[in-house]
Amino acid sequence: MTKPYRLFGAELSPYSVKVRSYFRYKNLPFEWLRRSPATEAEFRAHAKVPLIPLVITPEGQGIGDSTPIIEHFEAHVPANTLSTGDPVADFISALIEEYADEWMNKAMFHYRWTYEPDRKSGAERIARMMVGDEAPAEQLEGAAKMISERMVPRLRFVGSHEGTREQIERSFRRVIDIVERHLASRPYLFGARPALADFGLWGQLYELWSDPTPGALMKSGHPRTCAYVERMLNPKAEGPFEKWSALEPTLLPLLKDEIAGIFFPWSHGNAAALAKGDESFTVTLEGAAFSQQPQKYHARSLAALKEKYYLVTNRVDLDAVLGRAGCLKWLKEA
């Protein structure tokens, strides 16, 4: 029997559940592990940075960061490929995954640590994972309080504060409306089987669905989106990918309104601030100021996305789609 992969993750980490869903889809044998005193030495021996998810292969190789993990296994495990076979759709899929990882995560973190019911739910669930369900109530309460006190101040790192509350929440509401319409005639974003975009977007939606405030918004008027969240817990290839021409009518609004309208202006503002060494930056999103501290990882992932764009050998059809969406100018901008 093949020795299983060891996947360090957490139920409340969108990037961890993203990789877990992917492993299930690829039928890769794995053990789901959490960091604890019993596993910490193994984790630190293989993790280049102390973050989850982390995969340890049967050969002892450590692979971190959800997107590189998926890219590694796509290159080595051909079964159930995420490639649609269409360069246009494949790049759009990568673009949506990048958007989900870097922008949709703001909504996930914002809702979880801004509102009292969500803070309480999130802190209690994390505390149970840390100390165990059998721990005394006082120990559980103490751990939950410590977690909440540690996480709430971190809202500023994702740009969540009173001045940006409505922008983040409006973006989330728009996304679930778009997804609800798009899933009217298909089980996954690109047809009858999941693509890369599904795992990125779903990881954030799954966490939002699990929290009281955004979960209530999703469960009120978005039945297809909620069914999709549950379907992606154990995704299956149910049929072929669709042609981009069939997907565009209901998926283009995500590219136009969210990615071109919000994500790209924000990500380029972040990269420009880092290049200048600024401690904060402000960009105008939908006519309102959005300010936060710049983050290095976002600039690196934007550069990686642009590299993927230039690796597309024939970009005529792709540029036409990106032009209609308003995304092209951002990818060509230095």
Side-chain angles (χ1 to χ4, degrees):
M1 180 178 178
T2 304
K3 187 177 179 181
Y5 295 92
R6 294 173 68 77
L7 172 54
F8 282 84
E11 194 69 30
L12 275 76
S13 160
Y15 306 108
S16 295
V17 297
K18 168 186 174 183
V19 172
R20 185 181 66 186
S21 176
Y22 172 76
F23 267 47
R24 288 172 176 170
Y25 179 61
K26 298 288 278 191
N27 295 314
L28 295 168
F30 70 96
E31 296 179 60
W32 175 250
L33 305 167
R34 64 179 179 86
R35 290 178 66 182
S36 68
T39 60
E40 187 65 12
E42 180 186 17
F43 178 86
R44 288 189 175 276
H46 294 88
K48 293 179 181 179
V49 293
L51 298 172
I52 53 174
L54 170 72
V55 172
I56 303 175
T57 71
E59 297 74 31
Q61 179 186 5
I63 312 169
D65 194 340
S66 64
T67 302
I69 289 171
I70 291 176
E71 289 175 343
H72 171 87
F73 285 97
E74 280 300 287
H76 291 86
V77 183
N80 284 350
T81 178
L82 303 187
S83 173
T84 67
D86 174 6
V88 173
D90 281 346
F91 181 79
I92 298 301
S93 179
L95 176 57
I96 293 172
E97 190 237 12
E98 170 72 5
Y99 157 80
D101 280 358
E102 307 303 330
W103 177 266
M104 277 294 290
N105 181 252
K106 294 182 184 301
M108 190 285 297
F109 203 89
H110 164 79
Y111 277 108
R112 179 165 289 171
W113 302 111
T114 294
Y115 296 104
E116 180 60 28
D118 304 86
R119 285 199 299 265
K120 186 173 185 295
S121 171
E124 285 182 356
R125 285 184 288 160
I126 294 172
R128 287 186 185 279
M129 287 188 290
M130 289 176 55
V131 302
D133 290 332
E134 305 304 320
E138 287 186 3
Q139 183 182 3
L140 185 62
E141 290 172 8
K145 183 175 183 294
M146 178 192 69
I147 291 163
S148 185
E149 289 174 348
R150 185 173 74 241
M151 299 304 290
V152 171
R154 295 184 182 182
L155 282 164
R156 68 181 186 277
F157 293 127
V158 300
S160 170
H161 48 79
E162 192 55 42
T164 61
R165 179 194 301 255
E166 178 52 33
Q167 290 162 301
I168 292 172
E169 295 185 7
R170 181 170 59 245
S171 172
F172 168 66
R173 294 192 299 267
R174 179 162 52 218
V175 167
I176 58 176
D177 286 347
I178 291 171
V179 170
E180 184 69 17
R181 290 191 294 270
H182 183 66
L183 295 178
S185 59
R186 55 188 60 88
Y188 301 102
L189 295 178
F190 284 77
R193 58 180 61 203
L196 177 62
D198 288 281
F199 294 95
L201 186 61
W202 172 80
Q204 306 298 332
L205 289 177
Y206 173 70
E207 299 298 339
L208 287 151
W209 173 80
S210 78
D211 287 334
T213 302
L217 289 170
M218 292 174 71
K219 292 162 190 172
S220 175
H222 300 85
R224 299 186 194 98
T225 305
C226 291
Y228 170 73
V229 168
E230 296 189 67
R231 185 179 306 118
M232 279 293 297
L233 280 165
N234 193 11
K236 306 290 184 185
E238 302 176 23
F241 289 112
E242 294 179 42
K243 294 184 180 299
W244 174 254
S245 58
L247 300 166
E248 182 171 319
T250 48
L251 203 51
L252 194 68
L254 182 66
L255 305 183
K256 184 179 294 185
D257 299 337
E258 283 291 307
I259 296 177
I262 293 177
F263 171 65
F264 272 137
W266 165 78
S267 59
H268 279 75
N270 178 77
L274 284 168
K276 292 185 292 185
D278 294 342
E279 294 184 358
S280 65
F281 71 98
T282 301
V283 292
T284 301
L285 303 179
E286 299 183 305
F290 187 100
S291 60
Q292 73 167 99
Q293 297 174 340
Q295 294 179 281
K296 291 181 180 179
Y297 185 87
H298 299 323
R300 291 197 299 270
S301 63
L302 175 63
L305 179 69
K306 289 184 176 181
E307 183 179 353
K308 288 179 182 178
Y309 167 73
Y310 282 106
L311 286 173
V312 178
T313 53
N314 186 345
R315 295 193 296 273
V316 174
D317 291 339
L318 176 60
D319 283 356
V321 174
L322 293 172
R324 290 194 292 275
C327 295
L328 186 59
K329 64 177 182 179
W330 297 103
L331 288 162
K332 289 182 173 292
E333 185 174 305

